[in-house]
Amino acid sequence: MNLLRRTVRIPMNTFCLHRTFAASALHLAPVQLPSRAESHLWYLVPDEVKSVSLLGQYSEILSPCENEYVACIRGEQLKKTALLARVLVRTTIARYQTDGYIDPRSLKFRKNIHGKPELEWDNDDSGSRPPVQFNISHTASLIACGVTNSSPIGVDIEKKDRKIQNNIISFARRYFTPNEVERLSSISDLNVQRQHFLKLWTLKEAYVKALGKGISALPFSTFTIKSRNFEKKELNGSGDSDPEITVESVDGQRSLLSNWQFTLLELAGTHFAAVCVARDGSMGDKCFTPKKLTVMKTIPFVGDESMSGTDAAIVCGF
Amino acid sequence: MASVTGISVRMGSVSCNRKQTLVIGSRILNTKSSFFPVTGRSFPSLKSRRFQVSCAAKPETVNKVCKIVRKQLALPDDSAVTGESKFAALGADSLDTVEIVMGLEEEFGISVEEESAQSITTVQEAADMIEKLMEKSV
């Protein structure tokens, strides 16, 4: 247990919490939309949400379709994660209101052609339509939602201690690029190799999700993720001028795709989290300014905790 | 206890080149529960639109897929994994799905292009694709 962990708590009187937990009486504190130079990463730990009545109220926020989907899932833990993931998305987006209160229940979603969830607005919503882009990822023990102002974003998380069933090098030879196989093969410690594999997987997933595609539409063998250095440092908002993690397409040209920024974190001490965000079109290659990533832990309707600069959000080497 | 209220047999047009496998679809009242194996075979519920008559994968193939899925997702042997089971509903994420596909490739000696992996969302779909690919390689 790290006693030096700094937390900034938002005063609880920001939230109205009624004894009956009636969904209509619960309020969500608004959050300011990030600037174009920032992204937000929200996360929720399912095990910390224990109140049965709160979970019941969460169900009331979901659409009938979503509730039906959750009902079809077998296993209480999986059901809970599915419920909380949808609650996190709805409540988080609703908080970025730019023109009056947004009821999280009123949000509509659709999936793009590759299955990526997107916001769907009615024609008459134009006034209160915040330019939010989001992407979600979850494991059984953590749910993360990344948010930007207008820029495509992809998020992927994996548990740090996840075991790989297949042989890692065989898997990499099958699905990754030769460059990545070489890098993995050069790691002699099997545990370090497994962790590098997971980091690489989350980075690649975050990239294809940011593009709005999936592994089927953009096979992982068509692009290489590389790193420039291996240092571990805390997330403090003042990044280097050169991007640490880059993506190159593997197609004869081996072109650097410089319009994507990656951040790799150790999140909540238990997970690797990769965030991929499109850089602003107006920035040229010469003046690359990394987008600041703010990490917040949250329990919808209960409270938030800023985790940037703490050991719950450590930028890790790759 | 399942009661069979009707049996429908359908011989649709066959696009497979091999011998037809005739599967009789029977109506099982309690469609939400696990399949009730009858004489060692599993019958698909009428809920799925495809009647899985002409080109349905062999039960042995489905069972092998179930075994690989259970192993990947660390599910107990008696857990309800059947042809209709959706990977996502069993808790499989994208890495699990790719690991499962790789496990299937090794078990059956086939190669599944990533582009096709998108269409594998249930155990039955995986089994059907396996048999199709195995046919092609013959």
Side-chain angles (χ1 to χ4, degrees):
Chain A
M1 193 70 84
N2 189 339
L3 297 173
L4 296 175
R5 191 179 86 179
R6 290 172 282 135
T7 61
V8 173
R9 290 185 181 273
I10 289 181
M12 288 302 287
N13 58 16
T14 306
F15 299 91
C16 301
L17 210 57
H18 296 263
R19 301 192 102 195
T20 54
F21 281 118
S24 56
L26 290 172
H27 293 278
L28 290 167
V31 175
Q32 199 170 13
L33 200 61
S35 72
R36 297 288 293 257
E38 284 181 276
S39 327
H40 291 167
L41 183 67
W42 299 85
Y43 74 90
L44 187 160
V45 180
D47 282 349
E48 293 180 0
V49 181
K50 295 192 200 330
S51 160
V52 172
S53 55
L54 183 59
L55 287 168
Q57 297 308 317
Y58 282 164
S59 302
E60 295 191 8
I61 296 171
L62 266 47
S63 69
C65 232
E66 289 171 331
N67 272 321
E68 225 177 88
Y69 175 76
V70 170
C72 283
I73 294 175
R74 290 176 193 250
E76 288 313 305
Q77 191 188 33
L78 287 177
K79 259 195 204 324
K80 187 178 171 186
T81 315
L83 166 66
L84 291 174
R86 282 150 184 79
V87 168
L88 181 63
V89 170
R90 283 182 174 275
T91 54
T92 302
I93 292 171
R95 294 173 72 176
Y96 290 104
Q97 54 198 250
T98 47
D99 183 29
Y101 175 71
I102 296 177
D103 185 341
R105 286 172 291 192
S106 69
L107 296 172
K108 293 191 202 66
F109 298 91
R110 62 164 179 243
K111 288 193 174 169
N112 78 358
I113 192 172
H114 302 294
K116 181 180 183 182
E118 293 173 343
L119 275 166
E120 187 174 49
W121 299 100
D122 288 335
N123 288 333
D124 55 355
D125 281 337
S126 54
S128 56
R129 191 192 298 202
V132 164
Q133 293 284 324
F134 75 95
N135 193 233
I136 194 155
S137 177
H138 65 85
T139 64
S141 51
L142 194 75
I143 304 167
C145 181
V147 175
T148 65
N149 179 340
S150 313
S151 310
I153 178 171
V155 175
D156 194 58
I157 64 174
E158 287 294 346
K159 249 189 136 220
K160 279 163 55 175
D161 62 4
R162 181 186 183 139
K163 298 283 177 281
I164 310 300
Q165 293 295 328
N166 293 283
N167 174 275
I168 284 175
I169 301 302
S170 302
F171 185 102
R173 283 206 181 104
R174 175 70 185 81
Y175 292 107
F176 293 169
T177 66
N179 188 290
E180 290 164 341
V181 172
E182 203 183 302
R183 173 78 201 271
L184 273 165
S185 302
S186 72
I187 302 171
S188 51
D189 183 314
L190 289 181
N191 192 41
V192 174
Q193 188 191 71
R194 185 187 55 79
Q195 295 202 329
H196 183 87
F197 171 91
L198 288 172
K199 290 176 186 176
L200 183 55
W201 177 271
T202 57
L203 285 163
K204 290 176 88 85
E205 265 289 287
Y207 174 61
V208 302
K209 289 173 83 175
L211 281 165
K213 304 189 178 187
I215 189 172
S216 310
L218 193 63
F220 282 10
S221 53
T222 62
F223 62 93
T224 291
I225 303 263
K226 285 179 165 178
S227 86
R228 290 192 191 200
N229 63 59
F230 301 77
E231 285 167 12
K232 190 169 167 171
K233 56 184 181 281
E234 283 193 11
L235 181 65
N236 58 11
S238 60
D240 290 332
S241 53
D242 281 337
E244 186 178 316
I245 300 171
T246 58
V247 61
E248 271 179 23
S249 73
V250 176
D251 58 3
Q253 299 279 323
R254 291 193 61 199
S255 48
L256 177 68
L257 303 159
S258 56
N259 51 326
W260 296 99
Q261 180 189 324
F262 294 87
T263 308
L264 183 67
L265 301 172
E266 280 184 35
L267 193 60
T270 53
H271 284 69
F272 292 126
V275 180
C276 177
V277 175
R279 279 173 46 191
D280 222 344
S282 57
M283 292 176 173
D285 282 350
K286 295 210 168 117
C287 42
F288 175 79
T289 309
K291 291 197 180 189
K292 182 179 155 194
L293 180 69
T294 305
V295 182
M296 305 282 291
K297 179 169 151 182
T298 186
I299 297 179
F301 301 116
V302 176
D304 305 330
E305 249 181 277
S306 170
M307 292 306 194
S308 295
T310 74
D311 64 355
I314 302 173
V315 172
C316 57
F318 175 61
Chain B
M1 176 95 171
S3 59
V4 179
T5 57
I7 298 176
S8 57
V9 176
R10 192 160 135 191
M11 304 262 292
S13 66
V14 180
S15 54
C16 298
N17 293 328
R18 64 185 171 107
K19 264 190 280 192
Q20 290 182 44
T21 305
L22 185 68
V23 174
I24 297 171
S26 59
R27 180 148 188 196
I28 296 173
L29 280 184
N30 188 0
T31 56
K32 281 212 166 150
S33 69
S34 312
F35 289 178
F36 295 88
V38 177
T39 63
R41 292 170 67 95
S42 303
F43 289 86
S45 145
L46 265 191
K47 253 189 133 172
S48 70
R49 297 216 163 189
R50 296 182 295 120
F51 263 72
Q52 296 156 12
V53 175
S54 329
C55 300
K58 295 194 279 290
E60 302 96 80
T61 309
V62 174
N63 288 338
K64 275 188 187 171
V65 175
C66 287
K67 195 170 154 201
I68 287 169
V69 169
R70 278 202 187 90
K71 186 180 171 212
Q72 176 64 36
L73 303 180
L75 300 172
D77 288 342
D78 57 351
S79 61
V81 180
T82 60
E84 221 183 43
S85 300
K86 284 194 175 178
F87 293 152
L90 291 171
D93 64 8
S94 54
L95 179 52
D96 287 312
T97 305
V98 177
E99 286 226 77
I100 288 168
V101 169
M102 185 166 166
L104 298 176
E105 287 186 329
E106 287 180 350
E107 172 76 22
F108 294 97
I110 51 173
S111 176
V112 180
E113 295 309 308
E114 280 94 310
E115 290 82 354
S116 330
Q118 191 168 290
S119 54
I120 302 179
T121 60
T122 67
V123 169
Q124 188 69 49
E125 284 169 359
D128 292 344
M129 174 171 291
I130 288 163
E131 296 212 342
K132 214 185 283 184
L133 289 169
M134 279 172 74
E135 247 174 68
K136 278 190 190 159
S137 61
V138 164

